[in-house]
C-alpha cells in the first residue's frame, strides 16, 4: 500500500514538474498581464474620479458642408462678451474640446444652442460653474481647431492632423499618477520616463520641421492604456513611441543592463519591427548603452492594439546601480531624447 502511495506521489510530482516546465516560458507574460491589469484599473479609477457630470447640449443642424473635415460650428456670444473672451482647450488624449464662455446665465444654453454640422461629434454637453459656462465636445478622432469670430458669433472648424502637419508622431511617457512603475532607491520609473519625454519635447520645439507631436502626458497624470494607444490610432500617426525603463523580474539589484525595444509582431508589413530596429540602433549609439536587441511585444496592450508602427523603448535597467545613476542624470536623459529624435527623423527618411 505504501509502495503504491509513493509511486502515485512520484508520478504526481513528475506531472507537476512537467507542467511547470511547459508553463515556465509563459510566466513573464502572465506577470506582465497581471501588472498591466492592475495599472489599467488604477488609471480608469483616476479618470472616472476626474469626470464632472454634464448636461446634454442641443446642436441645430444648418447643413454646413462636412466633406473635407469635421465641419464648421458657430456659437452665439452672450451679450457683452467678445470673441477674445472665449477660452478653449483641446485634450488630444481624450479627443475632448472644452470651450469656456463667461457671463452665461441659466437661460443661455437653452436660448443659444450650437449651430452647424459635423458627422464627427460623439457627444455634446455643457455645465455651468458660477457665471462661467463650459461646453465639452467629444470628437471621434483627433482634430486641430481653427477659430474665428465676429461681433455676434464664435466659429470653429475641425482639421485633421494630416491637414496641418507633414508627419505625425505620438510620444508616450510610461506610467504616471498612482502607477509609478518600477521604484528603486526612492526613484520612480514614471519620473524618469517623463523627464526623457520632456527633453524630447524641447528638442522638437528647437527644430522647425512641420511635425505634429502629440503627447499622452507631460505631467504626473496617468491616462488609461486605451487612451494612450487611441491617441496614436485616432490621430492617424505615422509613428508611436512609448518610453519606459526596465528592471529584473525579481526586482532585485543586479548587473543586468542595456537598452531593448519592443515591437508589434502582428504587424504583417514589418513596419513596427523595422522601426524598433531603427530605435535600438539610434538610442544605443547616442547613449553608449548595451544593445539588448528588439523583442516581440504583443503581450503589451498598447503594442498589440496599435494600428500604426509602434516601438516601446526600455532605455535602461533601474535595478543596475550604475545605470540607475545615469538614468537620473539630466545629461543622460537629454542624450536619450536625442537618440529617440534621431530615430524618428531616420524613420521618416526611410519613408514612414
Amino acid at each position: 500500500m505504501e509502495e503504491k502511495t509513493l509511486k502515485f506521489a512520484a508520478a504526481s510530482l513528475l506531472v507537476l514538474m512537467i507542467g511547470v516546465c511547459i508553463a515556465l516560458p509563459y510566466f513573464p507574460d502572465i506577470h506582465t498581464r497581471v501588472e498591466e491589469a492592475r495599472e489599467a484599473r488604477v488609471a480608469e479609477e483616476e479618470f472616472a474620479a476626474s469626470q464632472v457630470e454634464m448636461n446634454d447640449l442641443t446642436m441645430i443642424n444648418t447643413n454646413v458642408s462636412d466633406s473635407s473635415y469635421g465641419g464648421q460650428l458657430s456659437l452665439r456670444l452672450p451679450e457683452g462678451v467678445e470673441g477674445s473672451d472665449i477660452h478653449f482647450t483641446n485634450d488630444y488624449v481624450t479627443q475632448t474640446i472644452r470651450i469656456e464662455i463667461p457671463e452665461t446665465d441659466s437661460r443661455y444654453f437653452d436660448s443659444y444652442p450650437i449651430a452647424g454640422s459635423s458627422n464627427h461629434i460623439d457627444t455634446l454637453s455643457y455645465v455651468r460653474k458660477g457665471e462661467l459656462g463650459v461646453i465639452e465636445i467629444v470628437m471621434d478622432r483627433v482634430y486641430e481647431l481653427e477659430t474665428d469670430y465676429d461681433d455676434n458669433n464664435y466659429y470653429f472648424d475641425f482639421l485633421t492632423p494630416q491637414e496641418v502637419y507633414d508627419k505625425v508622431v505620438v510620444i508616450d511617457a510610461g506610467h504616471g499618477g498612482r502607477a509609478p512603475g518600477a521604484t528603486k532607491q526612492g526613484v520612480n520609473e514614471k519620473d524618469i520616463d517623463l523627464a526623457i519625454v520632456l527633453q524630447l519635447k524641447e528638442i522638437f520645439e528647437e527644430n522647425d520641421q512641420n511635425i505634429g507631436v502629440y503627447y499622452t502626458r507631460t505631467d504626473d497624470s496617468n491616462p488609461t492604456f486605451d487612451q494612450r494607444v487611441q491617441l496614436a490610432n485616432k490621430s492617424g500617426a505615422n509613428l508611436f513611441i512609448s518610453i519606459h525603463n526596465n528592471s529584473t523580474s525579481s526586482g532585485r539589484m543586479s548587473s543586468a543592463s542595456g537598452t531593448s525595444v519592443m515591437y508589434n509582431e502582428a504587424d504583417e508589413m514589418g513596419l513596427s519591427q523595422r522601426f524598433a530596429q531603427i530605435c535600438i540602433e539610434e538610442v544605443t549609439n547616442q547613449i553608449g548603452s548595451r544593445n539588448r536587441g528588439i523583442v516581440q511585444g504583443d503581450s503589451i496592450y498598447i503594442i498589440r492594439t496599435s494600428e500604426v508602427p509602434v516601438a516601446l523603448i526600455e532605455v535602461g535597467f533601474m535595478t543596475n546601480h550604475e545605470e540607475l545613476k545615469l538614468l537620473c542624470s539630466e545629461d543622460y536623459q537629454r542624450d536619450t531624447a536625442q537618440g529617440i529624435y534621431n530615430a524618428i527623423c531616420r524613420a521618416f527618411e526611410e519613408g514612414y
Side-chain angles (χ1 to χ4, degrees):
M1 186 68 177
E2 290 183 3
E3 185 178 349
K4 287 184 178 180
T5 302
L6 287 172
K7 287 182 178 179
F8 177 76
S12 299
L13 182 60
L14 179 61
V15 170
L16 180 61
M17 290 177 64
I18 292 171
V20 168
C21 290
I22 293 173
L24 194 59
Y26 299 97
F27 283 174
D29 184 49
I30 293 170
H31 175 73
T32 296
R33 289 182 184 257
V34 168
E35 277 298 301
E36 198 171 61
R38 185 189 65 78
E39 286 204 10
R41 185 175 64 256
V42 168
E44 287 163 4
E45 288 171 355
E46 288 180 303
F47 178 70
S50 70
Q51 298 306 289
V52 176
E53 187 173 348
M54 306 291 289
N55 305 293
D56 290 339
L57 182 62
T58 304
M59 182 171 69
I60 298 176
N61 193 322
T62 56
N63 297 317
V64 176
S65 173
D66 205 27
S67 59
S68 59
Y69 43 78
Q72 186 184 80
L73 301 182
S74 66
L75 179 72
R76 181 77 175 182
L77 294 173
E79 186 175 349
V81 174
E82 299 180 354
S84 58
D85 299 324
I86 302 295
H87 176 71
F88 72 87
T89 58
N90 194 344
D91 185 345
Y92 301 110
V93 174
T94 61
Q95 296 84 57
T96 301
I97 295 162
R98 294 182 180 88
I99 305 165
E100 296 182 354
I101 313 161
E103 306 298 329
T104 54
D105 59 25
S106 58
R107 299 166 297 174
Y108 173 77
F109 291 104
D110 292 329
S111 303
Y112 301 111
I114 284 184
S117 175
S118 176
N119 293 330
H120 306 296
I121 293 177
D122 280 346
T123 63
L124 185 62
S125 56
Y126 75 93
V127 67
R128 289 184 67 244
K129 299 179 179 179
E131 293 186 351
L132 182 69
V134 180
I135 294 175
E136 279 196 359
I137 306 173
V138 179
M139 309 298 293
D140 64 347
R141 293 185 66 80
V142 173
Y143 291 96
E144 294 289 349
L145 252 63
E146 188 174 75
T147 63
D148 196 7
Y149 57 86
D150 56 28
D151 291 340
N152 299 313
N153 297 290
Y154 193 88
Y155 308 96
F156 37 101
D157 292 336
F158 306 110
L159 307 178
T160 67
Q162 288 70 30
E163 291 177 290
V164 179
Y165 304 109
D166 296 330
K167 297 288 184 180
V168 176
V169 181
V170 169
I171 307 293
D172 173 45
H175 311 288
R178 291 193 291 120
T183 300
K184 295 299 164 192
Q185 300 182 1
V187 179
N188 293 324
E189 180 193 345
K190 67 174 184 176
D191 297 325
I192 299 176
D193 300 343
L194 179 60
I196 293 170
V197 165
L198 294 178
Q199 291 283 4
L200 181 56
K201 187 173 184 289
E202 283 188 11
I203 293 172
F204 271 110
E205 290 170 352
E206 290 165 3
N207 290 272
D208 59 359
Q209 298 182 72
N210 190 32
I211 299 174
V213 188
Y214 297 96
Y215 301 90
T216 60
R217 69 183 186 98
T218 55
D219 55 20
D220 191 25
S221 56
N222 184 23
T224 67
F225 291 136
D226 196 57
Q227 288 170 345
R228 294 173 195 255
V229 70
Q230 291 307 328
L231 178 57
N233 293 342
K234 292 185 176 183
S235 64
N238 299 92
L239 300 171
F240 178 28
I241 299 175
S242 186
I243 298 171
H244 288 255
N245 279 280
N246 218 333
S247 63
T248 58
S249 56
S250 67
R252 297 184 183 133
M253 303 304 286
S254 79
S255 60
S257 66
T259 304
S260 60
V261 181
M262 304 178 80
Y263 66 92
N264 184 357
E265 61 199 274
D267 178 2
E268 295 180 357
M269 297 182 66
L271 294 175
S272 178
Q273 183 174 358
R274 176 57 190 158
F275 181 45
Q277 186 62 42
I278 292 172
C279 288
I280 194 72
E281 291 174 4
E282 294 297 333
V283 172
T284 55
N285 285 343
Q286 186 69 33
I287 64 178
S289 62
R290 175 189 170 195
N291 184 335
R292 298 178 66 93
I294 61 175
V295 183
Q296 294 179 345
D298 279 20
S299 62
I300 307 297
Y301 180 85
I302 64 170
I303 293 179
R304 66 176 180 270
T305 315
S306 178
E307 298 169 4
V308 305
V310 55
L312 187 152
I313 304 173
E314 298 274 15
V315 179
F317 274 78
M318 293 182 64
T319 45
N320 179 293
H321 289 285
E322 292 304 316
E323 203 149 67
L324 179 59
K325 185 177 178 180
L326 286 171
L327 290 168
C328 293
S329 159
E330 186 174 332
D331 288 343
Y332 197 76
Q333 293 164 359
R334 178 75 177 192
D335 285 342
T336 302
Q338 185 64 55
I340 296 169
Y341 179 80
N342 294 345
I344 292 168
C345 293
R346 180 175 157 191
F348 287 154
E349 289 172 0
E350 293 191 11
Y352 279 79

